[in-house]
Each structure stands twice: as C-alpha cells, then as structure tokens.
Amino acid sequence: MANKDIDHRAIEKHVKEINKAYQRAAKKYPVTVPVTGNGFTISTGILGVGIEQDPRLVGLLVWLGEQPRRGFAKPDTYAEQSDVAPEEVQVLAHALERDGLIASMGSLGQDDAYRVTDDGRVELRRLTQLRNDPAARHRYATDAFLRWLYTTAHDQRPTHPTAFLTTDESHFAGDELSGTELHYALARLIHSRLVQDTGTEPQTVAITIDGIDCVLSGATVSDYLNRTRPGDYYSITGTNVVAGSQGKVEQHNHNSAFDPSAMREFAALGTVPS
C-alpha cells in the first residue's frame, strides 16, 4: 500500500519559495496602472520604486555589496560599524532576504551570514543611478522634508529646517542630501504654499493647511500639485451664450434671433489663458 503521509514541512517550504519568487518578480517588474481618484493621478518614475527611501535598508545592502564578490558577511559586524542596534540590523537583513536582495548561508548552518544576490546587484546599480539623478534627488528631498515637517510640527509651529539634515530621512539611495538640495526643496514647497516661511532669522518654517492635506492624502508633492481640477464650463441656448467659471468673460445675448457674433466671441475665449 502506498505511503499516504504528507510532508507538510516540504509543502510549506515550497509555498514560501513560490511567494518569494512572486515578490521578486513584482519588485523587478512592477505593474504600473494609473490610479485616479479624488482629483489625483498617481505616477511612477521610470526607474521604478525600491528601497531608496529607507536609508537603513540601503545602508546594509550597500555595505554587503562592498564585501568581496560572493563573500558572506555577518550583520553583527555591520552593527558594530554603524549606529544601528544589532536587533534592528537583523530585522533589516530579514527584510532584504525576503525581497530576494540578499541570501543567507542557512544551507551551511550559518543563518547569521549573508551575501548580495544577483537581484541585489541590480538594485545596487539602480541606487547608483538614482544617486546621480538630480531630479530624483529633488523630488525625494521635497517629499521627505514635507513628511518630516508634518511629523515634527503638524501643529504648525515654526521649525528650523536645517534640523532635517541630521535625520535618517535626509539620506536618499545611500547618499546624504546637501544643504543646497534642502534649500531648493524649501523654495519649491514655499512657492507652492505647502510650507510657509515665518520670517525669522535664522530661518524657521511652518507647514500650511495645504501641506498637511498633501501629507494626509498620501500623494507625492508632484501628484498633489498636479491633481486635476474642474475646468471652465460654458452653456449655450438658442437665445443666450453664457461663459461660466471665468467671471470676467461672461456674455449674455438676449436678442430673440440667434446672433452669430456671440459664437465668434465664445470661440475666441479658447485663446484666453486659464
């Protein structure tokens, strides 16, 4: 009689491997479907989305990538060389392993040693591209500073913006943001009225209601500023031509007969800047 015992452990291991494969595929080939709602269109950068916004994950991956090719290293060593607690490093290592970016020596009985996988090398290359992309750095600096300001002072109290440069959030793709990059980010946020310069010396800033709304919406600064708004509306009847939504360009024609000149004026409105 055939053995009907089921190896549940082998099945669970197989399922985990399948899940990891799907997760790695989703990281490498993300599905980019435009999402619209509440006036927003969410966009994805051409370089994809990865771990660049988590400086601690990036730090550990970069450190492992600097080890000899195919060589293994222990996270405890990284903890000794950084200000990250050993327990946190272990969590970071598990997260990177889950995403297929590093692999452990578990098959050799050393679960506490890791090396960068081929997918991890691809991610390191992408991080290098991001570090050298001024637009990507500027977008990140703008988003990260606004989120930090909300977390630090969502009560809208004046805050010294340079304090941001001492935080983990001031690192992007493994590199520190400069004071100049912070200055550019502030200029954009102030111009867009998401942040207000409180006029003190040295400079302090405060998040505005619109800035709070941007953070709470979950959208990036770019998506929030580019959100769709209702356009101009026009109504035409047999005896009236009315242009709405632009109060200064409204016309009423009350003649009983249709006046084609009204239509010509209506057509000319298309050349008026919105």
Side-chain angles (χ1 to χ4, degrees):
M1 185 174 180
N3 185 0
K4 296 184 179 181
D5 291 341
I6 299 175
D7 190 342
H8 293 283
R9 180 172 296 179
I11 293 175
E12 291 177 359
K13 181 179 180 181
H14 183 62
V15 171
K16 287 181 180 179
E17 291 299 325
I18 293 176
N19 287 335
K20 287 183 179 180
Y22 275 118
Q23 290 170 359
R24 289 194 293 268
K27 287 283 186 179
K28 293 174 65 177
Y29 310 107
V31 178
T32 55
V33 178
V35 179
T36 58
N38 298 324
F40 292 100
T41 299
I42 308 302
S43 58
T44 302
I46 59 174
L47 292 178
V49 178
I51 65 173
E52 63 272 7
Q53 298 192 27
D54 191 324
R56 294 195 170 186
L57 277 178
V58 173
L60 178 56
L61 182 63
V62 170
W63 179 79
L64 286 170
E66 294 171 348
Q67 306 307 311
R69 182 74 172 177
R70 304 297 181 186
F72 286 81
K74 294 187 176 184
D76 287 345
T77 304
Y78 175 73
E80 294 173 357
Q81 299 175 5
S82 65
D83 60 352
V84 184
E87 297 80 7
E88 174 70 7
V89 175
Q90 288 295 334
V91 173
L92 298 174
H94 290 316
L96 292 173
E97 183 181 18
R98 177 202 62 195
D99 293 339
L101 302 180
I102 65 174
S104 71
M105 293 180 63
S107 60
L108 301 178
Q110 298 187 45
D111 292 334
D112 59 344
Y114 297 86
R115 67 168 178 83
V116 176
T117 63
D118 290 339
D119 283 346
R121 297 287 172 185
V122 172
E123 179 67 4
L124 285 171
R125 181 178 182 277
R126 194 185 69 85
L127 291 172
T128 300
Q129 289 179 305
L130 286 175
R131 283 196 294 272
N132 296 323
D133 184 344
R137 295 175 67 98
H138 181 61
R139 286 192 297 269
Y140 172 78
T142 305
D143 292 333
F145 179 81
L146 187 64
R147 289 194 302 268
W148 171 82
L149 185 59
Y150 172 80
T151 301
T152 303
H154 55 269
D155 57 356
Q156 298 182 278
R157 68 179 181 274
T159 303
H160 294 284
T162 52
F164 170 74
L165 295 176
T166 65
T167 66
D168 286 342
E169 291 85 352
S170 66
H171 293 74
F172 174 64
D175 193 23
E176 294 182 4
L177 296 174
S178 67
T180 300
E181 288 174 312
L182 173 60
H183 175 76
Y184 288 155
L186 271 177
R188 183 186 182 199
L189 291 168
I190 292 172
H191 176 74
S192 303
R193 296 184 176 86
L194 301 181
V195 169
Q196 177 183 8
D197 188 337
T198 55
T200 61
E201 186 62 39
Q203 184 187 33
T204 58
V205 297
I207 193 169
T208 65
I209 294 298
D210 282 341
I212 293 174
D213 185 51
C214 176
V215 174
L216 295 181
S217 73
T220 65
V221 169
S222 294
D223 287 330
Y224 183 82
L225 296 178
N226 293 331
R227 65 195 186 279
T228 57
R229 295 183 175 88
D232 297 329
Y233 65 90
Y234 303 95
S235 63
I236 304 175
T237 67
T239 58
N240 294 286
V241 177
V242 180
S245 161
Q246 294 186 9
K248 294 184 179 180
V249 292
E250 181 175 320
Q251 176 186 333
H252 300 274
N253 183 5
H254 297 287
N255 293 332
S256 58
F258 177 73
D259 184 359
S261 64
M263 285 300 295
R264 288 195 294 270
E265 292 184 24
F266 169 73
L269 291 175
T271 62
V272 178
S274 58

